[in-house]
């Protein structure tokens, strides 16, 4: 079918340079195909990606507003990993970025924050897409811009959908284990999402707690643990997860603040003598 033909053609572009002129002539159609609502336009994205490997095509696709169409495709198909990787690479190439496409999406989200409430749907779409991109290998090497966007959303809106999307983005950022993250900033944002986005904020709290003692300590300092103690829906389960995380890194919670954080969790989760035993084993090791 047409999609399979385009995929085969895409794979030949780099090796068969005489095809480039014909494919470049079809650039407007390829960009239009990115707007497909019925099925993922990954074939068209691959073709654009292959063409953009040559510097002669970059300006052409910039002039065709390809970035706008690729962002739209990624928003409409947020669970298509292959489409996301392809589009992200093209976006970065068109803008001279770092190759992940994440910076472009974060910039778009920040722009939507300035256009609220009219741009609410676009903001949620950008945050959802960013939450998808941060999990792609090598997509993010600096947590700061992500944390800044999450904090900006919390300042600009109280809409539940936007807060949910921001907390999902934060939780996924915190799952990138080798990436340094400002635990205090993350904990402040989690606290700021209470109570409208408590369920997604609780997931972010667990992700922060599982990063180790620094996360447990900041959840205590910023009042997140206290807030979870007052929530009847997800508080108990979240606190139990956090207690397990604290016990697993108990040796790093031996200072005064760390001990207070651990004690708060023990007090909040009754009947968990096992956590003390686990903590003792951790410290003994």
């Amino acid at each position: 079918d047409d999609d399979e033909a385009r995929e085969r053609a895409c794979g030949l572009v780099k090796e068969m340079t005489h095809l480039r002129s014909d494919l470049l002539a079809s650039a407007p159609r390829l960009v239009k195909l990115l707007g497909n609502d019925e099925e993922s336009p990954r074939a068209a994205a691959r073709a654009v990606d292959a063409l953009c490997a040559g510097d002669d095509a970059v300006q052409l696709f910039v002039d065709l507003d390809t970035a706008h169409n690729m962002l739209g495709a990624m928003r409409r198909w947020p669970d298509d990993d292959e489409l996301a990787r392809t589009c992200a690479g093209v976006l970065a190439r068109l803008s001279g970025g770092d190759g992940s496409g994440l910076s472009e999406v974060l910039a778009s989200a920040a722009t939507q924050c300035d256009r609220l409430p009219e741009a609410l749907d676009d903001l949620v779409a950008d945050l959802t897409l960013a939450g998808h991109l941060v999990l792609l290998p090598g997509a993010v090497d600096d947590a700061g811009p992500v944390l800044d966007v999450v904090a900006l959303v919390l300042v600009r809106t109280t809409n539940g959908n936007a807060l949910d999307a921001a907390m999902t983005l934060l939780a996924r950022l915190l799952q990138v284990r080798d990436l340094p993250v400002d635990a205090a900033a993350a904990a402040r944002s989690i606290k700021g999402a209470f109570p409208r986005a408590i369920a997604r904020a609780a997931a972010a709290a667990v992700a922060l707690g599982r990063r180790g003692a620094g996360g447990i300590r900041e959840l205590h300092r910023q009042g997140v643990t206290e807030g979870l103690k007052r929530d009847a829906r997800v508080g108990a389960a979240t606190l139990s997860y956090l207690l397990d995380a604290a016990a697993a890194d108990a040796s790093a919670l031996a200072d005064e603040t760390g001990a207070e954080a651990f004690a708060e969790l023990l007090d909040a989760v009754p009947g968990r003598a096992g956590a003390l035993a686990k903590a003792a084993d951790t410290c003994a090791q």
Side-chain angles (χ1 to χ4, degrees):
D1 59 18
D2 288 345
D3 279 346
E4 290 179 356
R6 288 190 203 99
E7 289 182 20
R8 289 196 301 272
C10 172
L12 293 172
V13 169
K14 294 179 183 177
E15 290 77 16
M16 301 179 65
T17 55
H18 63 278
L19 290 176
R20 288 187 62 80
S21 60
D22 290 340
L23 287 169
L24 285 171
S26 70
R29 174 165 172 73
L30 289 173
V31 174
K32 183 177 180 180
L33 286 170
L34 292 171
N36 191 342
D37 288 327
E38 297 179 0
E39 58 184 24
S40 173
R42 72 173 71 96
R46 285 181 194 150
V48 174
D49 182 38
L51 286 169
C52 283
D55 292 338
D56 58 325
V58 171
Q59 188 58 50
L60 171 62
F61 283 107
V62 169
D63 293 341
L64 290 171
D65 202 16
T66 307
H68 173 77
N69 286 274
M70 284 207 154
L71 279 170
M74 295 165 82
R75 288 169 180 152
R76 289 192 305 277
W77 305 94
D79 296 323
D80 189 326
D81 286 347
E82 184 177 347
L83 178 68
R85 283 191 293 269
T86 302
C87 289
V90 174
L91 282 171
R93 203 172 298 132
L94 295 180
S95 66
D98 57 10
S100 72
L102 179 62
S103 58
E104 289 78 15
V105 176
L106 293 174
S108 177
T111 298
Q112 310 311 339
C113 283
D114 292 333
R115 298 176 50 241
L116 292 173
E118 292 81 7
L120 181 61
D121 290 343
D122 288 340
L123 173 61
V124 172
D126 281 343
L127 293 172
T128 301
L129 178 55
H132 182 69
L133 290 177
V134 296
L135 295 179
L136 297 177
V140 53
D141 57 11
D142 181 4
V146 180
L147 292 172
D148 290 345
V149 167
V150 170
L152 180 62
V153 172
L154 292 170
V155 169
R156 297 295 179 85
T157 184
T158 58
N159 176 267
N161 290 335
L163 297 184
D164 279 348
M167 287 298 101
T168 298
L169 169 58
L170 178 57
R172 291 181 175 178
L173 177 75
L174 293 167
Q175 292 170 26
V176 183
R177 291 298 179 187
D178 296 331
L179 179 71
V181 177
D182 184 336
R188 283 194 296 271
S189 288
I190 292 169
K191 183 62 163 55
F194 287 8
R196 286 181 178 269
I198 183 67
R200 301 295 176 87
V206 172
L208 178 56
R210 286 176 173 167
R211 292 179 71 90
I216 296 294
R217 194 178 284 109
E218 289 302 331
L219 290 169
H220 167 70
R221 280 178 175 156
Q222 304 298 331
V224 176
T225 308
E226 179 63 30
L228 288 167
K229 287 159 62 176
R230 295 195 295 268
D231 182 79
R233 292 176 295 163
V234 298
T238 304
L239 290 165
S240 182
Y241 289 132
L242 291 175
L243 179 56
D244 286 339
D249 201 22
S251 60
L253 291 168
D255 61 293
E256 182 177 354
T257 304
E260 290 176 355
F262 197 4
E264 183 181 28
L265 288 168
L266 280 170
D267 181 63
V269 186
R272 288 298 303 277
L276 281 174
K278 184 176 182 180
D281 289 342
T282 300
C283 292
Q285 294 170 7

